[in-house]
């Protein structure tokens, strides 16, 4: 069906994208730009988008989908509004938050004269009442219904498992299959689902912008294969060149136990794994492919499961992962900015400050700093970092296995093991915010400086803002280990930078504890 007058294929539209720091949103923005559209991103923390390759080509405004005023401002002059956010995992009231945000979004889109809302939701099972669905699927279905009941025409795309490098579903599948040659699995491994490649999801999202104005409905979108999770794991093993996996389903693993099992084996924390595994108890298969009437599939599309999987694996191995499931904020993790504004007046801020000269150029030192974490490690007492990471996983945190998006380059918003990049000044500063479970907020800062004698200097600062008495007790409880962990880290970073630049046999100028180390408690008044 051809697009009607006023909304023709090739027309340059202004698109609002929410969730641009997330997995799908971060990939959709460059696709919309490539299609010739103008893009505006609504973000709670615009700084998270500054380092994306497309940042200079898109407009970014600060706001939140639960704040009507900021949504109204973002909607001005917009033709198509993409809703790619959800409150999943933020607590027991996440369904209320999703409902309120969707209503605000629909109301403000109507008030601003937006032509179309596009929403990516979840595929729901046929014949199952909404009340019987998992909270995750139930909320997705309700949000879609809110948009379809609104005055603005809506395209609601309903997808099951999305297969792409970095997606949460792909990471779960990948790590479970690679790490466990023998698996005792929950019964949901026998549930049928219809996975879809992320490239096809993006193609449908971009194409939805130019749908005719009279189209106001939901579409099931999926790949050509209907598979059980067990079949997907076995196919993964074949494509990845692994030995055949032995999979033994048992009926005793509840969704809660399953989520902890997934959280233990994979980088996906239990807070995200639980809603995903709860949804796997439902059979989710497409019941129509009507979207092809408006967005015809090119030859070979949608991609078969094996091809989508092989493409995702190739991108992971070639370190070409544009976004990851962890690109978005982690539920329950601290998200506050660095405590430098007046709101922190009167609070306590603990600090561990270390600095030492480095026999290397600033560029060499920065290369080591920017390459920290992931497979490169943290340059200090690996066992201590591993134990801290496993403790975090045990209490439902993100743990240490999120790794890095890119082995050499970081950008604001990137996850880095159990930290997140909060600020980068290339060649000078890397600031990380802790996303591990803590009784307070923590940051790690690494500076590349030049001292008064013109030598390269490395400065490392750890900051902790305690929450309540437990926070203070935590700081003083771990303080005795700082000389080993953070002192060793500073020394080893300096040595790593100096290896290729210092004269043979010349040792770096450091002492056993990290020269000029300072351990203080700061009281802000």
């Amino acid at each position: 069906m051809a697009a009607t007058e006023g909304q023709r294929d090739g027309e340059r539209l202004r698109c609002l994208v929410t969730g641009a720091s997330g997995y799908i949103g971060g990939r959709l923005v460059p696709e919309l730009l490539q299609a010739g559209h103008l893009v505006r991103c609504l973000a709670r923390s615009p700084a998270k988008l500054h380092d994306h390759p497309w940042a200079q080509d898109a407009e970014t405004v600060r706001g939140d989908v639960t704040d009507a005023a900021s949504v109204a401002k973002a909607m001005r002059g917009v033709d198509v509004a993409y809703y790619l956010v959800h409150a999943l995992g933020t607590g027991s009231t996440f369904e209320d938050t999703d409902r309120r945000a969707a209503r605000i979004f629909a109301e403000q889109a109507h008030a601003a004269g937006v032509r179309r809302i596009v929403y990516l939701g979840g595929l729901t099972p046929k014949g199952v009442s909404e009340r019987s669905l998992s909270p995750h699927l139930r909320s997705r279905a309700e949000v879609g219904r809110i948009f379809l009941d609104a005055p603005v025409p809506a395209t609601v795309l309903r997808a099951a498992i999305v297969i792409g490098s970095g997606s949460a579903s792909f990471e779960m599948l990948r790590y479970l299959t690679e790490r466990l040659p023998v698996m005792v699995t929950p019964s949901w491994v026998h549930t049928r689902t219809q996975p879809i490649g992320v490239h096809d999801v993006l193609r449908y999202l971009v194409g939805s912008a130019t749908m005719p104005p009279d189209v106001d409905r939901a579409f099931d979108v999926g790949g050509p294969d209907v598979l059980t999770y067990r079949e997907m794991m076995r196919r993964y093993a074949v494509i990845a060149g692994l030995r055949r996996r032995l999979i033994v389903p048992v009926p005793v693993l509840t969704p809660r136990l399953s989520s902890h099992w997934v959280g233990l084996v994979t980088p996906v924390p239990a807070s995200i794994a639980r809603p995903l595994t709860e949804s796997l108890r439902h059979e989710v298969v497409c019941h129509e492919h009507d979207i092809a009437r408006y967005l015809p599939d090119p030859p070979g599309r949608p991609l078969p499961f094996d091809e989508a999987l092989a493409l995702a694996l190739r991108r992971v191995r070639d370190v070409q992962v544009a976004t990851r499931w962890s690109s978005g904020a982690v539920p329950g993790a601290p998200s506050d900015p660095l405590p430098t504004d007046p709101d922190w007046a009167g609070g306590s801020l603990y600090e561990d400050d270390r600095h030492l000269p480095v026999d290397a150029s600033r560029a060499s030192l920065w290369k080591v700093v920017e390459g920290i974490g992931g497979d490169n490690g943290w340059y200090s007492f690996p066992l201590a970092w591993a134990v801290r990471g496993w403790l975090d996983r045990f209490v439902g945190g993100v743990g240490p296995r999120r790794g890095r998006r890119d082995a050499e380059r970081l950008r604001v918003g990137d996850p880095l093991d159990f930290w997140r990049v909060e600020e980068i000044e290339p060649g000078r500063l890397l600031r990380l915010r802790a996303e591990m479970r803590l009784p307070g907020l923590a940051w790690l800062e690494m500076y590349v400086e030049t001292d008064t004698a013109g030598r390269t200097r490395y400065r490392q600062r750890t900051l902790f803002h305690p929450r309540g008495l437990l926070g203070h007790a935590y700081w003083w409880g771990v303080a005795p280990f700082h000389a080993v962990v953070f002192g060793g880290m500073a020394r080893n970073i300096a040595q790593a930078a100096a290896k290729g630049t210092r004269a043979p046999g010349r040792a770096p100028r450091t002492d056993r504890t990290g020269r000029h180390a300072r351990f203080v408690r700061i009281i802000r008044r």
Side-chain angles (χ1 to χ4, degrees), residues 356-365 449 451 454-458 490-491 493-510 515:
L356 62 159
V358 181
D359 285 338
S361 66
R362 290 183 56 138
S364 296
L365 178 57
E449 301 175 334
D451 64 18
R455 299 174 301 180
T456 300
R457 184 175 74 163
Y458 173 65
R491 293 193 307 275
I493 285 176
Q495 290 171 355
K499 276 183 178 179
T501 56
R502 66 175 185 262
R506 185 180 178 187
R509 295 186 296 270
T510 62
R515 182 171 294 183

Side-chain angles (χ1 to χ4, degrees), residues 240-324:
L242 305 173
R243 292 182 178 178
R244 182 180 176 87
R245 270 32 193 167
L246 178 61
I247 302 170
V248 183
V250 294
V252 295
L253 287 177
T254 65
R256 179 184 291 274
L257 289 175
S258 295
S259 66
H260 288 293
W261 171 67
V262 172
L264 183 67
V265 177
T266 80
V268 182
S271 58
I272 294 176
R274 183 177 181 186
L276 293 177
T277 54
E278 282 181 334
S279 300
L280 287 171
R281 74 172 187 261
H282 302 294
E283 179 174 291
V284 282
V285 176
C286 296
H287 299 285
E288 45 84 8
H289 190 55
D290 295 348
I291 196 168
R293 293 169 52 196
Y294 306 96
L295 304 173
D297 295 315
R301 293 299 185 100
L303 278 179
F305 174 79
D306 289 359
E307 290 185 33
L309 197 59
L311 179 60
L313 271 172
R314 186 162 62 248
R315 290 192 176 276
V316 168
R317 289 167 178 171
D318 293 345
V319 197
Q320 294 179 345
V321 181
T323 60
R324 302 178 67 206

Side-chain angles (χ1 to χ4, degrees), residues 83 95 98-99 102-103 106 117-122 124 128-131 133 136-158 216-219:
Y83 192 84
E95 291 181 82
D98 276 338
R99 183 182 306 114
R103 287 173 177 167
I117 293 173
V118 181
Y119 169 59
L120 178 61
T124 53
V128 178
S129 67
E130 200 168 288
R131 188 183 310 172
L133 295 175
H136 170 220
L137 287 181
R138 184 170 61 236
S139 181
R140 293 294 183 93
E142 183 181 19
V143 169
R145 192 173 64 253
I146 289 171
F147 291 143
L148 292 174
D149 290 342
V152 178
T155 301
V156 174
L157 304 178
R158 302 188 300 197
D216 184 19
R217 57 163 291 183
F219 295 94

